[in-house]
Amino acid sequence: MSIHARLALSVSLVLLVSLLVGAALTYEHVIDKVRTEIQAALLVGAHTAANATDDREESINPESRLRLVVNDFNGDRHLRAILSAPDGTILEQSTLSAPDDPAPDWFYRLVAAASPARMTLDLPAPFRPVGVLELEADPHNKVAEAWGDLRLTLTIMAVFFGMVLALVFVTVSGALRPLRDVCRALSGSARANMRHASRRWRAPSLSRCARASTRWRRASRR
């Protein structure tokens, strides 16, 4: 195996190990981030709904008030509000804001494998005959954000790897050029080739080769 191939293999192995370690750390970070954001969204949504249903003056028409509360969650990125009748029939349901660049299904299943978190709100007494108000967390938008961050990280690592590999090849090619000249000179019998190679041996790293070549040429003339 040539030196270039060995260097490429070594750098590739280092990148692969870095990618595996980075993927494991990123996976743990994404799981914690999604879980934290979803729990925070549920708490904020519950507080908002509780404030909206705490107005006693609106209890004259509780169903209409609850429908308005559900509609207030339209366009939310993480929460879906669901108003259900006592028999389970859905009376009103909010719509989520769809992600601009959704994550692939395999990544979503990997990150958010558990069922969506759901919270049943404790409604004041005037609203309880209407039914049940629930908040359901949907992590699609948060997972899409994590997917975008992951792609950016992988792109940066790929560009960095390509630049490092190109730099290694250029540096090694320049350092090994005198040795290639030496090999060509030693494989031939022309003295001009030997003189040309000896001039290329002036590199500091090849000073030993230059001295050894000089001694060899002197010995061969005897």
Side-chain angles (χ1 to χ4, degrees), residues 10-34:
S10 300
V11 176
S12 299
L13 288 176
V14 171
L15 175 67
L16 180 60
V17 173
S18 301
L19 286 176
L20 291 177
V21 175
L25 295 176
T26 302
Y27 176 74
E28 294 294 333
H29 174 70
V30 169
I31 292 295
D32 293 338
K33 185 176 181 180
V34 170

Side-chain angles (χ1 to χ4, degrees), residues 8-221:
L9 180 60
S10 300
V11 176
S12 299
L13 288 176
V14 171
L15 175 67
L16 180 60
V17 173
S18 301
L19 286 176
L20 291 177
V21 175
L25 295 176
T26 302
Y27 176 74
E28 294 294 333
H29 174 70
V30 169
I31 292 295
D32 293 338
K33 185 176 181 180
V34 170
R35 185 184 300 114
T36 301
E37 292 290 339
I38 291 303
Q39 292 297 328
L42 280 174
L43 293 177
V44 172
H47 182 70
T48 302
N51 289 337
T53 56
D54 193 33
D55 192 354
R56 302 296 179 182
E57 296 180 358
E58 297 290 343
S59 61
I60 300 176
N61 192 349
E63 182 177 348
S64 176
R65 180 60 178 171
L66 289 178
R67 288 179 181 271
L68 290 176
V69 172
V70 172
N71 291 329
D72 286 341
F73 285 90
N74 285 333
D76 194 275
R77 291 176 53 84
H78 306 304
L79 292 180
R80 179 187 293 109
I82 303 172
L83 177 61
S84 303
D87 59 356
T89 304
I90 296 179
L91 301 177
E92 195 77 25
Q93 180 174 310
S94 65
T95 57
L96 284 168
S97 175
D100 296 331
D101 187 13
D105 292 337
W106 64 266
F107 185 77
Y108 178 80
R109 290 193 300 267
L110 183 65
V111 173
S115 58
R118 179 173 291 196
M119 176 185 293
T120 301
L121 302 181
D122 185 16
L123 297 175
F127 296 93
R128 291 173 186 170
V130 178
V132 178
L133 180 60
E134 294 178 308
L135 295 180
E136 182 182 80
D138 191 306
H140 276 88
N141 281 284
K142 183 54 63 177
V143 174
E145 294 176 8
W147 172 247
D149 295 340
L150 179 62
R151 285 193 305 174
L152 178 60
T153 302
L154 292 178
T155 302
I156 294 175
M157 292 186 67
V159 172
F160 176 75
F161 166 71
M163 294 177 63
V164 169
L165 192 61
L167 180 61
V168 169
F169 268 97
V170 170
T171 304
V172 173
S173 298
L176 295 182
R177 190 176 297 114
L179 282 180
R180 289 195 293 268
D181 294 337
V182 170
C183 293
R184 285 195 296 267
L186 292 176
S187 62
S189 57
R191 185 172 299 176
N193 287 340
M194 184 61 70
R195 288 197 299 268
H196 174 70
S198 64
R199 289 196 298 268
R200 301 300 300 271
W201 292 359
R202 294 175 182 174
S205 59
L206 298 178
S207 59
R208 287 188 177 183
C209 293
R211 290 193 296 268
S213 174
T214 302
R215 290 194 296 268
W216 177 77
R217 282 187 296 166
R218 289 175 181 176
S220 63
R221 291 173 184 173

